[in-house]
Amino acid sequence: MTGKTASRTVRLPRQGTDKRRLFREMDKARAHDVRWREGRVFSLVFDGGEDVHEVAREAYMKFFAENALNPTAFPSLRKFESEMVAMTASLLGGDEQVVGNMTSGGTESLLMTMLTAREWARAQRPEITLPEVVLPVTAHPAFDKAAHYFGMKLVRTPVRDDFRADVDAMARAITPNTIMLVGSAPSYPQGVVDPIDAIAALARERGLLCHVDACVGGMILPFVERLGYPTPAWDFRTPGVTAISVDLHKYGYAAKGASVILYRNKALRRHQLFATTDWSGGIYASPTMAGTRPGGVIAAAWAVMTYLGEEGYLTRARAVMAARDKIRAGVEAIPGLKILSDPDISVMAIASDELDVYLVADEMAVRGWHLDRQQFPPSLHMTLHYGHRDIPDAFLRDLQASVDAVRRPTPRRLMQRLLVALVAFLAGILPKSWMSWLTARASRFLGGGGGLPERRAPMYGIMGALPNRGDLKELVLDLVEGFTEPESQD
Ligand SMILES: *Cc1c(COP(=O)(O)O)cnc(C)c1O
């Protein structure tokens, strides 16, 4: 029954499998995958339209087997990659000094900017043993991952009531060990752009690097600005900004595995590069984390950008922002619901002062909508892309119905509330070690069965009630381990 026994029974088949049978099995396997094509998923997939998919797919397949590890072997990939980086740099207000590299995604771009900052500090400020990076609590967890990998320290600062970075708090957090400040354009949780001009000015004044995380916003903000929406300064036109990350596989509508990390100049980027001349296999050099790099991703990203052009992206941004305006107004018209702050792009969070929004999310899931749950405060996350242009009416109708359902008390909802209250009560009276023991048992219950259940409010409620975030982390790591074990076949 458990994943552990199943993993021992799954082996490489002794003989090969008939192509038809194996593709049938693959189609069967995806039967319960989220149905993003219907516009009912709000993250994970960015849909630029059927024509864009076709262009990406065809370009991808053309260069399916090629490898960008050695750019001299495939001048084609070198052309696509360098042009793609140059196109991105000029879109983001970069001059001819701005350089960059393609990476496999936002996470790798952020890993690169953190590594570059660390190496820059080693050269410029060798007295620092534990380099510190100051960033608001809303900045992406990939920064924590980078700090974890590269032995750096993050100093998280609070945000203001509008969820934008509190620059005074950032200034107060600077120590002699600080090497970089970070702002997001926009932040993922609430879709608001931090006061980048103030953060960058502060960095400049103190001789620090300044990274702008535009992973989600970089390929839509330039067009949102052109459409006439008020857009705060955030790109290379802002003095003091030294690096920007932007994901092409989000609003660039490229195939997944495509992001760009840009630097103000070559001297800074130099700290990112790696080369060794001592290996018996020959001289080896590479600019980013990966060794072998898939040609398909590079070809698809170049093809989609060239296919769409400014006009194509502008058309898509207009449709996306129209859908956002409609959904935002509709949400705010439902008594009890609100949108957090004033989102700068089509990323926003639905919250409530009176309703349990996790219950609303459960009701929406029953109706086929997959909203991500957020915390501090509890909210439901939406990333609207071009594939969502026709959903606002249906979405708002179901959201109203979900709110109505949550307002009607049922025995199940009462039980859920009791369960969460019980955990909170136990957490108050039980010794810490007992809570850890209980949490470990609970992880089995929460991770049981394939995938996550539609009704998840009790789980989020219990997680919120846990007094010890360390327990929660162990529980989550248990889940991560579980996902790599094949499920039993029966
Ligand atoms: C998506 C995102 C990232 C991480 O990107 P991945 O492609 O998922 O690795 C980083 N920062 C922000 C603001 C994002 O939205």
Side-chain angles (χ1 to χ4, degrees):
M1 257 314 278
T2 69
K4 276 204 182 69
T5 24
S7 69
R8 270 186 243 115
T9 65
V10 177
R11 292 226 170 89
L12 184 66
R14 203 172 293 279
Q15 282 157 354
T17 308
D18 170 67
K19 208 166 72 180
R20 273 216 316 274
R21 208 180 109 200
L22 106 89
F23 285 129
R24 225 183 300 129
E25 188 175 331
M26 292 177 80
D27 286 333
K28 206 177 119 205
R30 74 182 349 180
H32 300 292
D33 289 0
V34 289
R35 298 202 302 269
W36 59 267
R37 277 175 197 283
E38 294 158 31
R40 288 173 169 253
V41 181
F42 295 96
S43 56
L44 302 175
V45 176
F46 285 73
D47 180 2
E50 194 43 50
D51 55 333
V52 175
H53 278 290
E54 232 164 73
V55 168
R57 232 179 349 243
E58 203 174 319
Y60 198 108
M61 294 320 290
K62 260 188 208 297
F63 288 84
F64 164 79
E66 276 74 0
N67 184 348
L69 173 59
N70 179 351
T72 63
F74 300 106
S76 55
L77 295 180
R78 185 178 163 187
K79 165 189 158 72
F80 299 148
E81 187 165 2
S82 56
E83 290 185 9
M84 187 162 52
V85 170
M87 286 191 274
T88 311
S90 74
L91 184 66
L92 271 48
D95 56 19
E96 30 338 302
Q97 303 284 309
V98 170
V99 293
N101 292 92
M102 189 183 181
T103 69
S104 62
T107 299
E108 191 184 349
S109 289
L110 296 181
L111 289 173
M112 289 297 91
T113 204
M114 288 281 282
L115 177 73
T116 300
R118 191 190 75 177
E119 295 303 297
W120 169 85
R122 274 186 182 167
Q124 306 290 325
R125 299 170 58 189
E127 73 283 2
I128 297 176
T129 48
L130 180 59
E132 298 178 8
V133 173
V134 175
L135 72 179
V137 290
T138 47
H140 196 274
F143 288 103
D144 298 85
K145 200 178 196 176
H148 175 59
Y149 286 2
F150 300 144
M152 301 165 75
K153 179 179 166 192
L154 293 192
V155 180
R156 293 269 186 179
T157 51
V159 288
R160 309 181 315 209
D161 289 344
D162 63 358
F163 294 94
R164 295 174 206 268
D166 178 341
V167 185
D168 294 335
M170 292 181 79
R172 284 194 299 274
I174 295 173
T175 75
N177 293 326
T178 305
I179 62 169
M180 182 161 75
L181 306 183
V182 172
S184 307
S187 66
Y188 177 85
Q190 292 88 23
V192 293
V193 176
D194 287 324
I196 301 296
D197 45 0
I199 296 173
L202 177 63
R204 211 148 77 123
E205 188 192 307
R206 305 291 182 92
L208 307 171
L209 300 177
C210 173
H211 182 89
V212 175
D213 180 6
C215 279
V216 69
M219 287 302 291
I220 191 168
L221 271 171
F223 305 103
V224 168
E225 182 183 349
R226 268 171 237 189
L227 287 170
Y229 287 89
T231 307
W234 65 277
D235 63 13
F236 279 116
R237 291 171 294 177
T238 314
V241 170
T242 56
I244 301 180
S245 50
V246 47
D247 291 354
L248 303 178
H249 63 201
K250 289 179 181 159
Y251 286 107
Y253 298 115
K256 250 162 289 301
S259 174
V260 171
I261 175 67
L262 295 168
Y263 296 98
R264 181 63 82 176
N265 56 46
K266 254 189 191 157
L268 180 56
R269 198 262 305 268
R270 187 76 170 195
H271 297 287
Q272 175 193 288
L273 308 180
F274 173 81
T276 176
T277 53
D278 303 332
W279 185 39
S280 49
I283 289 170
Y284 185 100
S286 96
T288 54
M289 299 277 282
T292 289
R293 290 191 303 126
V297 180
I298 297 168
W302 182 87
V304 168
M305 287 175 88
T306 310
Y307 171 74
L308 284 174
E310 287 189 0
E311 215 180 322
Y313 282 114
L314 199 62
T315 308
R316 276 156 187 77
R318 185 180 291 118
V320 169
M321 290 302 276
R324 184 211 69 166
D325 292 344
K326 200 162 177 183
I327 288 182
R328 183 178 176 181
V331 168
E332 282 168 340
I334 297 176
L337 296 186
K338 62 176 182 183
I339 298 291
L340 292 179
S341 189
D342 184 11
D344 290 302
I345 62 165
S346 37
V347 170
M348 55 191 175
I350 303 174
S352 176
D353 294 326
E354 45 176 304
L355 296 165
D356 180 344
V357 284
Y358 298 150
L359 288 176
V360 176
D362 285 354
E363 289 297 330
M364 286 299 274
V366 171
R367 289 165 178 79
W369 302 94
H370 299 271
L371 293 156
D372 287 326
R373 283 90 166 155
Q374 301 193 123
Q375 54 185 354
F376 318 129
S379 58
L380 308 178
H381 193 261
M382 296 187 85
T383 307
L384 296 170
H385 52 69
Y386 191 60
H388 290 129
R389 62 195 179 282
D390 296 326
I391 61 128
D393 291 329
F395 176 83
L396 290 170
R397 219 178 307 121
D398 282 340
L399 188 62
Q400 178 70 65
S402 297
V403 166
D404 293 344
V406 170
R407 285 192 192 278
R408 273 192 308 272
T410 67
R412 189 186 57 236
R413 266 195 292 279
L414 223 60
M415 276 306 295
Q416 285 176 5
R417 224 164 287 163
L418 277 174
L419 191 61
V420 172
L422 179 69
V423 171
F425 172 71
L426 287 176
I429 58 163
L430 286 179
K432 237 179 165 172
S433 58
W434 289 27
M435 263 331 269
S436 298
W437 185 87
L438 269 177
T439 310
R441 299 303 166 288
S443 76
R444 210 168 297 159
F445 154 70
L446 294 172
L452 288 166
E454 269 165 2
R455 295 200 182 271
R456 273 186 265 164
M459 180 170 93
Y460 276 81
I462 289 170
M463 285 181 170
L466 285 175
N468 183 349
R469 304 310 281 181
D471 280 348
L472 183 54
K473 186 168 160 182
E474 287 305 314
L475 190 157
V476 171
L477 292 179
D478 284 352
L479 287 173
V480 171
E481 274 178 348
F483 287 138
T484 60
E485 292 165 0
E487 287 176 54
S488 58
Q489 308 284 308
D490 45 56

